[in-house]
Amino acid sequence: MKINELSANIDQKIAELEQQLENLHAQRAQTSDPASQQKIIADITALNKIKLKLLKSRDIAWRAHQLLRDQEDQRSDDRKRLLGLALCIFSAVGAVTLIGIYFWSGLF
């Protein structure tokens, strides 16, 4: 699953939780029975904890994605650096060869 899909799924679950929280707050306002209010408060607390965990999960997923992308960028930079070094060495060897041929052939 791609990070954008995962994030969208988590956002959808958070929106559903927020709707449930709104419903529970409305029920709590309409209920006068202390036992029912305590149950609703416990449900609200549980939903808030789930919401917080979902937010943390989304944040962790994005951080992991960023770390992986940074790692891939670093590998790409390392390959470019190695290719550049190889080209420099190849050019130096070619230049030395040409200079050697020039001097060895007695053209100077």
Side-chain angles (χ1 to χ4, degrees):
M1 180 177 287
K2 294 183 180 179
I3 187 68
N4 292 332
E5 293 172 6
L6 177 63
S7 185
N9 286 343
I10 291 174
D11 287 341
Q12 180 183 358
K13 296 295 181 189
I14 290 172
E16 291 171 7
L17 283 175
E18 288 175 349
Q19 182 61 46
Q20 290 176 351
L21 284 167
E22 285 179 24
N23 293 341
L24 286 173
H25 284 295
Q27 284 180 7
R28 184 174 153 218
Q30 295 173 356
T31 303
S32 59
D33 180 36
S36 296
Q37 283 192 348
Q38 286 298 334
K39 183 184 178 321
I40 292 171
I41 290 171
D43 290 345
I44 289 171
T45 303
L47 288 178
N48 279 325
K49 286 180 182 178
I50 293 170
K51 180 181 172 183
L52 182 62
K53 287 180 181 181
L54 284 171
L55 290 169
K56 286 181 181 179
S57 295
R58 183 181 62 193
D59 183 53
I60 289 170
W62 275 105
R63 286 183 189 183
H65 174 73
Q66 184 64 38
L67 285 172
L68 285 174
R69 197 166 64 198
D70 289 348
Q71 242 180 1
E72 290 170 1
D73 290 346
Q74 181 64 39
R75 278 191 220 123
S76 176
D77 290 346
D78 289 345
R79 279 187 291 244
K80 288 176 186 174
R81 210 172 290 117
L82 185 60
L83 180 60
L85 180 61
L87 289 173
C88 287
I89 291 171
F90 181 73
S91 297
V93 168
V96 168
T97 303
L98 288 174
I99 292 171
I101 291 172
Y102 176 75
F103 283 113
W104 194 45
S105 66
L107 296 176
F108 60 98

